[in-house]
Amino acid sequence: QVHLQESGPGLVKPSQTLSLNCTVSGDSISSTSYYWSWIRQPAGRGLEWIGRIYPTGTTNYNPSLKNRVTMSVDTSKNQLSLKLSSVTAADTAVYFCVRTATGSWGQGTQVTVSS
Amino acid sequence: DIQMTQSPSSLSASVGDRITITCQASQDINYRLNWYQQKVGKAPRRLIADASTLETGVSSRFSGSESETEFTLTISSLQPEDIGTYYCQQFDSLPVTFGGGTKVEI
């Protein structure tokens, strides 16, 4: 059974870059034909799709964040990464990585943007 | 972007009640809709895929149906463990979008 675990700094200063990793176990990112997505959820609010990445590196980003988002895959580490630049308080949220086709989610990691 | 209008935003019902949650898509999404349940402090759990396919291990009291651009999640007999927030998600067009959520209380 696949397991996804997000990790990264819990606190990021405004204007800096948020960087998160998602380590996948129980499945090989490179051997499957799944998209892997990032989704976030501000406290007490709904879900926002950030974007997705295919194992080949093909990406699709939410236009609302497109200029600030970069996703990548490290198949040697079986890991996904998310970078979000120029963060503001509005980027404070729990960030989830998701194996899209099977609806498998990580537990999420809280990121707070504050000086 | 496809807008997913979910209703109601909250509901309170009794154990054993039949409840329905609706999502209205702003355009045809070809039944590409998932339903999720989220409990406080947890990641969402997919209950239903492709509008009406029950995920393995999910109770059969959950069901999904569709009528053109309107999608419905039904809980046939509400149980205490069903409390949480429910979301619909369309994945027919990018960006993927979610309904605003329905908080279910007992």
Side-chain angles (χ1 to χ4, degrees):
Chain A
Q1 185 169 348
V2 69
H3 180 74
L4 295 82
Q5 179 69 58
E6 303 88 349
S7 61
L11 182 65
V12 181
K13 294 185 185 322
S15 80
Q16 293 190 342
T17 296
L18 176 164
S19 295
L20 297 176
N21 291 320
C22 174
T23 301
V24 179
S25 56
D27 186 19
S28 170
I29 291 175
S30 60
S31 67
T32 57
S33 300
Y34 297 130
Y35 275 102
W36 302 81
S37 300
W38 288 92
I39 292 168
R40 69 181 183 178
Q41 184 174 38
R45 298 180 61 186
L47 299 160
E48 180 181 28
W49 183 78
I50 299 169
R52 68 183 187 182
I53 185 165
Y54 199 68
T56 57
T58 299
T59 55
N60 301 103
Y61 300 140
N62 193 323
S64 67
L65 301 168
K66 187 173 184 178
N67 292 336
R68 299 195 292 131
V69 176
T70 304
M71 295 180 184
S72 60
V73 172
D74 185 336
T75 54
S76 66
K77 295 181 180 179
N78 218 36
Q79 200 171 67
L80 313 164
S81 72
L82 168 71
K83 294 186 186 300
L84 183 65
S85 64
S86 305
V87 297
T88 69
D91 296 309
T92 295
V94 176
Y95 286 75
F96 297 97
C97 60
V98 182
R99 190 173 73 175
T100 308
T102 59
S104 305
W105 292 56
Q107 66 183 26
T109 187
Q110 171 70 46
V111 178
T112 301
V113 178
S114 175
S115 56
Chain B
D1 299 5
I2 295 178
Q3 304 302 314
M4 302 300 297
T5 303
Q6 188 172 341
S7 61
S9 57
S10 65
L11 68 88
S12 181
S14 300
V15 173
D17 283 354
R18 179 185 183 90
I19 68 165
T20 60
I21 298 168
T22 300
C23 261
Q24 178 73 51
S26 59
Q27 65 190 67
D28 184 12
I29 58 172
N30 299 298
Y31 306 122
R32 293 183 180 176
L33 180 124
N34 297 323
W35 286 101
Y36 289 91
Q37 175 196 63
Q38 186 178 31
K39 300 195 175 187
V40 174
K42 300 294 187 181
R45 173 196 182 196
R46 194 166 73 181
L47 301 176
I48 289 173
D50 299 322
S52 59
T53 302
L54 197 65
E55 290 284 350
T56 302
V58 174
S59 170
S60 58
R61 63 179 181 272
F62 291 94
S63 64
S65 62
E66 64 282 336
S67 176
E68 296 185 352
T69 58
E70 183 172 280
F71 298 83
T72 301
L73 173 69
T74 299
I75 306 176
S76 60
S77 177
L78 189 67
Q79 299 301 305
E81 60 266 32
D82 298 335
I83 61 169
T85 303
Y86 292 78
Y87 295 95
C88 62
Q89 174 205 43
Q90 72 79 21
F91 57 96
D92 183 65
S93 297
L94 298 181
V96 168
T97 50
F98 293 86
T102 297
K103 186 174 183 179
V104 174
E105 300 174 315
I106 292 179

